[in-house]
Amino acid sequence: VLAAPYHLDPWQGPQASPNGYGRPDNPTRRLLEAAVGELEGGDCRVFASGQAAITGLLLAVLRPGDTVVLPADGYFPVRAFAADTLETIGVTVRYAPTVGPYPSFAGVRLVLLETPANPGLDVADVAALAEAAHAAGALLAVDNTTATPLGQRPLDLGADVVVASGTKALTGHSDLLLGYVATRSGALLDAVTGWRTTTGAVPGAFDSWLAHRSLATLDLRLGRQSANAEAVARALAARPDVAGLRWPGLPTDPAYPVAARQMRRMPGVLSFDLGDADRVARFVAAARLVAAATSFGGLHTTADRRAQWGDDTAPGFVRLSCGVEDPADLVADIGAALDDAGAPGPLW
């Protein structure tokens, strides 16, 4: 439904219909929210982007004098927003690595986790941190972008609210921007809904339709992406010219014990270090099935050198998002491209 204004009842006005004006009201958007909410196990509000969703949550919940704990190794624009906006309005911001150690939550209003973390792929124990946060009177929010609700359901693990970028694996076709917040708390839902209505950070009707369409293939896409990530991770683990390999599904990965207990499916994203920026560029240029692109979770395999965006990562650090290509083809192509890229630099 593409309408911006709707026909109102001449006597009762907007009270006679759920649709009055396209910013707060759209039936296509509500159907998408119902679908995502069912997947996450809560009530959902969708936003124009993942960043709109997470900043909307933070500003709807936090007030001057509040304290928030954010991931030190999570999505960089969230830390930039905290420094540029939250601190300037009187919110105290503390940081903790995804795997800890965590500061005391005494006096904290909100704890935000990103698990698996983007881009390092560490995994936090959601249930344990929910218990600790609630014991101190804090709320726990979990960024579920990397895992998606088919990978894990943080609300079932004790989180108060889930936030995510639907741009990525949830919709998976790299053709729209979307974010969402999901919760079982009526008070949190009302606060987020009011913030979105006032600021107008809504997705358009067509993007909402595209996102709802994409959910039909979610399980199929994630199944292939996860299988491809496992195949690529095992192949890279055998190469001496690849360092720092991380994928939570590998039994040798530090995150595996928590991920295996907490997650229903491992993500299609892995990370590693090729030594320097030039070697990353040579690798991507030589690959036939890997494109240089930011974001992740799409149908096509992409490589992103995160240092170019301001992340605190090594120059040769790569976040690889596996697509839905044939696993044997993808492993062969990545191996050949690494061979063509040559050895790492002398300081590797």
Side-chain angles (χ1 to χ4, degrees), residues 4-338:
Y6 298 84
H7 294 287
L8 300 179
D9 183 276
W11 289 273
Q12 299 182 62
Q15 285 72 32
S17 168
N19 302 314
Y21 180 60
R23 173 163 40 86
D25 307 318
N26 181 277
T28 305
R29 190 164 65 230
R30 288 197 299 272
L31 288 172
L32 173 62
E33 290 172 340
V36 176
E38 184 175 351
L39 291 173
E40 287 285 6
D43 293 313
C44 174
R45 292 293 179 265
V46 292
F47 283 75
S49 68
Q51 187 71 354
I54 199 165
T55 57
L57 172 67
L58 294 171
L59 289 173
V61 170
L62 299 172
R63 297 291 180 268
D66 285 345
T67 298
V68 63
V69 178
L70 300 179
D73 51 349
Y75 188 49
F76 173 76
V78 175
R79 298 198 299 278
F81 173 78
D84 295 341
T85 301
L86 294 182
E87 291 182 347
T88 64
I89 63 173
V91 175
T92 299
V93 181
R94 299 176 184 167
Y95 297 95
T98 295
V99 294
Y102 282 84
S104 169
F105 294 153
V108 171
R109 171 64 173 155
L110 178 71
V111 179
L112 174 66
L113 307 177
E114 184 180 12
T115 180
N118 172 29
L121 300 176
D122 274 327
V123 174
D125 188 327
V126 175
L129 287 168
E131 182 178 359
H134 294 160
L139 298 170
L140 181 72
V142 175
D143 186 331
N144 207 27
T145 301
T146 305
T148 82
L150 295 195
Q152 66 188 9
R153 299 221 306 179
L155 297 179
D156 289 347
L157 298 169
D160 298 287
V161 60
V162 167
V163 63
S165 170
T167 306
K168 300 175 175 64
L170 185 81
T171 58
H173 289 265
S174 307
D175 56 5
L176 62 92
L177 297 177
L178 187 79
Y180 68 86
V181 173
T183 182
R184 295 172 183 170
S185 164
L188 282 173
L189 186 71
D190 288 346
V192 168
T193 303
W195 174 265
R196 189 188 67 176
T197 299
T198 301
T199 60
V202 296
F206 187 67
D207 279 359
S208 297
W209 179 85
L210 284 174
H212 202 175
R213 166 219 62 177
S214 301
L215 295 181
T217 60
L218 178 60
D219 180 52
L220 297 173
R221 290 185 283 103
L222 294 183
R224 174 56 70 88
Q225 289 168 341
S226 182
N228 277 349
E230 179 175 10
V232 171
R234 293 188 181 280
L236 294 181
R239 294 189 65 108
D241 58 349
V242 174
L245 174 65
R246 294 298 306 272
W247 186 63
L250 282 178
T252 55
D253 191 274
Y256 180 79
V258 176
R261 180 176 70 249
Q262 178 172 284
M263 300 183 67
R264 304 189 296 180
R265 174 179 280 157
M266 299 299 169
V269 182
L270 57 148
S271 64
F272 50 88
D273 195 327
L274 293 184
D276 56 67
D278 286 344
R279 187 167 183 243
V280 175
R282 295 196 301 271
F283 160 67
V284 177
R288 298 176 62 191
L289 299 179
V290 181
T294 194
S295 196
F296 56 90
L299 297 176
H300 305 287
T301 296
T302 58
D304 194 8
R305 194 177 69 81
R306 290 306 300 168
Q308 66 189 326
W309 300 102
D311 279 16
D312 185 19
T313 56
F317 176 92
V318 175
R319 182 186 65 199
L320 188 80
S321 172
C322 293
V324 299
E325 300 89 355
D326 178 83
D329 287 348
L330 185 60
V331 169
D333 184 61
I334 289 174
L338 287 172

